[in-house]
Amino acid sequence: MPQLSLSELRQTLLNNLGLNFTERSEDELYKKIGDAAKEFQFDNTDKFIDWINKTHFAPTELEKLASFLTIGETYFLREIKALNYLEKVYLPELIKKRINRKQSIRIWCAGCASGEEPFSIAMLLKRIIPDLKNWNISILASDINAKFLEKARKGIYTKWSFRKLPETFKKQYFNEIEKDTFQIKQEIHSMVTFVYQNLATDTYPSLVNNTNAMDIILCRNVLIYFSNIGIRQVSSKLYNSLTKGGVLLVSPVEMSSLICQKFRKIFYEGFTIYAKGPEALKIKDSATWKIPETIFIEEKFKPVNPKELVNVTNKPTEVLKEKSLPESVSVKKSTIEEMPLYEDAKKMYASGKFEELEIFLTNILNEKGEISNSQLKLLIKTEANLGKLDIANDLCKKAIEINKLDANLYFIHANIQQELGEDAKAIKTLKKVIYIEPEFSMAHFALGNLSRKYGKDMESRKHFRNTLSMLSKFNTEHILEDCDGLTVGRLVEIINTIIEL
């Protein structure tokens, strides 16, 4: 194979999947591509590589290729030291701080392979939280490999996944469906949500795909596939996806100076934990200000007992003097969206500077005496990304009371309700979205995911088909409103992958 063709192939995989194959690994890459060629109906590896390099084909096909290029080898309770840290140090303290207050825990297994890791986390939580049913537990498990996700959703494993574990483990959490084949019990399976995601190209953190305000992110044996630049970019986005005090766990072989420098390192039994914020275990849930009792669009409200609010200059991180909210504020549908202040706010949101953005937006309220609908929506999403779901929920409800025909507000509210564990309410809210705006494709997509979550496959497929029909009217590069940069083309690819599973 010509060296130039292999070099071009490596660049294609890096650009589209984030997978980094060095020149030294070209022999290994050539072999894996040869295995994939048969799946794509090619009987010649060189011709297949030439096709990849010259053909502009759908990313779903490229991601199908990823199943031959990534290793899904894993097992239950893998890398036990990291799990020990969660069980013995981090989670007990977090549970203590959340009990009788915000009884929720959010965890993301980014690169979940065939599901052993997220199910291990679910078992851990079940073991250490006696009143688990009183908690809102979210375990998001994502992967780029559709075949891995298919196996994970089935939850069926052979003895290789249980190596080094006693027989009692299998009896406690699995049902034997045939000799040496075990299916995970429903009570554990129902705690995990599996989604298809490309860490190299997809948007996160995002309220839309539930990758925001995480307490724990496990991204183990994933960063090894990325280039140096890719490691910096992905780890920075994972940092932004954590709530203050949250932790990132990677594999020991991935511990590197390339990981986002904002993280504080915690050393535990020779293992490095990456923490967000100066104190990993001191979780602060209080807001910088209280939500006023009413928000009147194009009218005025008087905030009730607002907490002290700091002021900032053009440098959002520079704290000046304390200042309370003004007695009257108007919320307008005007052209404030076109002002430089709003553009600054959007840039902060896109770069994950949520703490700064919270202050920035509330100071617009404080100094200008007015805020636009778009700014208000950005503030709601910012509070959600900071893990302040109750604040975001209240803000959303108050805004909807005044603007009952804003479908986007209802859609944001439905996302918040899902994160609060209120799926039934979220379904009702999404139906309101469709009632107001029948062609709201993301609402149909969200209903499809919720139907799928509860095993209503026919209903789910109906919603997905409706979504695809609506999306067909737009250019693939069209960016969907209030979806954090998600394009029509990318959503179509995600739906097609889900339907194929």
Side-chain angles (χ1 to χ4, degrees):
M1 185 71 197
Q3 190 68 28
L4 184 62
S5 295
L6 279 172
S7 178
E8 189 178 348
L9 173 64
R10 290 192 288 111
Q11 191 61 47
T12 298
L13 297 176
L14 181 63
N15 292 342
N16 292 275
L17 296 173
L19 300 180
N20 183 45
F21 287 91
T22 65
E23 190 173 342
R24 287 181 298 177
S25 61
E26 284 182 348
D27 288 343
E28 175 193 0
L29 174 61
Y30 189 80
K31 181 180 182 303
K32 289 180 176 180
I33 290 293
D35 294 335
K38 301 168 188 175
E39 182 78 14
F40 285 82
Q41 309 301 315
F42 280 83
D43 56 8
N44 183 287
T45 303
D46 293 354
K47 289 181 180 178
F48 181 48
I49 291 173
D50 189 53
W51 178 76
I52 293 173
N53 289 337
K54 293 181 178 179
T55 305
H56 181 74
F57 52 93
T60 46
E61 293 181 295
L62 194 63
E63 288 155 5
K64 176 181 170 183
L65 180 61
S67 64
F68 294 89
L69 304 176
T70 55
I71 301 171
E73 194 277 330
T74 185
Y75 51 89
F76 288 100
L77 306 186
R78 186 178 186 178
E79 293 174 0
I80 196 67
K81 286 183 180 180
L83 299 181
N84 282 343
Y85 170 77
L86 294 180
E87 182 171 3
K88 297 176 182 179
V89 180
Y90 185 79
L91 281 170
E93 188 68 22
L94 182 64
I95 291 165
K96 182 180 176 182
K97 290 179 180 295
R98 298 274 174 88
I99 203 162
N100 296 325
R101 294 180 62 201
K102 175 188 172 185
Q103 294 201 167
S104 67
I105 297 174
R106 292 173 55 75
I107 300 171
W108 179 15
C109 295
C112 67
S114 48
E116 287 91 335
E117 179 179 80
F119 286 141
S120 294
I121 296 296
M123 296 167 193
L124 187 157
L125 291 173
K126 185 170 177 59
R127 187 166 65 252
I128 66 175
I129 306 179
D131 61 335
L132 192 62
K133 65 179 183 298
N134 297 324
W135 285 71
N136 176 23
I137 303 295
S138 173
I139 304 176
L140 178 72
S142 67
D143 206 279
I144 194 174
N145 190 318
K147 289 183 178 179
F148 292 166
L149 288 173
E150 184 178 12
K151 179 179 178 181
R153 285 197 180 95
K154 290 178 180 177
I156 298 174
Y157 301 93
T158 57
K159 59 182 181 180
W160 185 242
S161 293
F162 303 98
R163 52 193 182 278
K164 303 179 183 178
L165 295 173
E167 285 296 316
T168 53
F169 176 83
K170 287 184 281 189
K171 290 179 181 178
Q172 186 173 1
Y173 298 110
F174 295 82
N175 295 315
E176 188 170 11
I177 56 177
E178 56 184 74
K179 183 173 175 56
D180 294 329
T181 303
F182 303 84
Q183 186 166 37
I184 198 155
K185 291 183 177 179
Q186 181 58 30
E187 59 182 343
I188 300 296
H189 193 288
S190 62
M191 293 174 66
V192 182
T193 300
F194 292 98
V195 298
Y196 171 76
Q197 188 179 58
N198 185 335
L199 288 176
T201 60
D202 286 345
T203 300
Y204 55 96
S206 173
L207 181 64
V208 175
N209 58 23
N210 194 30
T211 54
N212 61 303
M214 292 292 170
D215 296 304
I216 300 165
I217 298 178
L218 297 100
C219 188
R220 304 192 290 177
N221 301 300
V222 175
L223 296 180
I224 54 174
Y225 292 106
F226 288 91
S227 65
N228 291 350
I229 294 174
I231 291 171
R232 292 190 184 98
Q233 291 175 339
V234 170
S235 62
S236 179
K237 291 165 78 174
L238 293 176
Y239 177 90
N240 292 334
S241 297
L242 284 166
T243 190
K244 191 177 291 185
V247 292
L248 167 69
L249 280 69
V250 300
S251 172
V253 298
E254 297 171 305
M255 295 171 189
S256 165
S257 59
L258 296 170
I259 290 176
C260 180
Q261 295 299 301
K262 294 179 183 178
F263 280 110
R264 183 173 66 88
K265 294 179 181 179
I266 299 173
F267 300 101
Y268 177 81
E269 295 185 357
F271 204 91
T272 302
I273 312 295
Y274 295 89
K276 180 174 182 176
E279 296 290 341
L281 299 178
K282 291 185 178 179
I283 313 296
K284 293 183 179 181
D285 294 324
S286 60
T288 56
W289 63 296
K290 270 191 177 180
I291 299 170
E293 286 190 349
T294 56
I295 292 179
F296 294 100
I297 305 298
E298 296 187 329
E299 294 183 29
K300 296 190 175 184
F301 70 86
K302 183 177 180 179
V304 179
N305 297 325
K307 287 187 177 179
E308 295 176 335
L309 180 68
V310 296
N311 193 4
V312 295
T313 62
N314 291 332
K315 297 179 180 179
T317 54
E318 182 180 345
V319 178
L320 297 180
K321 58 184 180 179
E322 295 179 352
K323 190 174 181 182
S324 60
L325 287 169
E327 288 193 358
S328 63
V329 180
S330 67
V331 183
K332 296 185 176 180
K333 299 179 183 178
S334 65
T335 57
I336 293 177
E337 292 89 343
E338 298 171 8
M339 294 172 60
L341 281 177
Y342 182 62
E343 293 304 317
D344 290 344
K346 286 201 297 184
K347 288 175 183 176
M348 278 189 228
Y349 186 87
S351 59
K353 297 177 180 178
F354 303 124
E355 289 88 355
E356 295 171 14
L357 181 54
E358 181 186 39
I359 296 172
F360 187 84
L361 288 172
T362 50
N363 273 323
I364 291 176
L365 219 65
N366 184 51
E367 295 172 3
K368 298 287 181 181
E370 61 185 22
I371 189 169
S372 71
N373 277 340
S374 294
Q375 289 169 327
L376 179 59
K377 290 174 188 175
L378 206 55
L379 178 58
I380 292 168
K381 291 164 70 174
T382 297
E383 299 291 11
N385 283 336
L386 288 171
K388 300 174 182 179
L389 293 175
D390 290 337
I391 292 174
N393 193 39
D394 286 346
L395 267 176
C396 221
K397 285 192 289 188
K398 292 176 189 301
I400 287 172
E401 283 174 11
I402 307 307
N403 203 355
K404 292 183 171 63
L405 296 179
D406 190 328
N408 288 303
L409 268 176
Y410 283 102
F411 177 66
I412 294 170
H413 193 205
N415 285 315
I416 294 169
Q417 288 171 325
Q418 285 187 75
E419 292 197 12
L420 288 168
E422 300 172 346
D423 285 352
K425 289 183 180 179
I427 290 170
K428 288 183 180 179
T429 304
L430 289 167
K431 289 180 178 178
K432 288 180 184 177
V433 175
I434 294 172
Y435 178 77
I436 296 168
E437 194 174 320
E439 296 286 301
F440 200 115
S441 55
M442 282 302 297
H444 287 276
F445 175 67
L447 283 170
N449 281 328
L450 282 167
S451 299
R452 194 165 186 261
K453 179 179 178 179
Y454 291 101
K456 299 179 180 179
D457 291 339
M458 289 184 65
E459 186 176 332
S460 173
R461 287 179 177 274
K462 180 190 75 174
H463 286 299
F464 287 143
R465 283 195 297 270
N466 286 341
T467 309
L468 290 173
S469 175
M470 294 165 195
L471 294 177
S472 66
K473 301 172 186 177
F474 297 93
N475 184 284
T476 56
E477 299 303 315
H478 176 76
I479 297 175
L480 295 162
E481 189 175 357
D482 285 322
C483 292
D484 300 328
L486 181 67
T487 64
V488 166
R490 183 59 183 154
L491 183 56
V492 168
E493 293 154 11
I494 291 170
I495 294 172
N496 285 334
T497 301
I498 293 172
I499 290 173
E500 289 173 6
L501 292 178

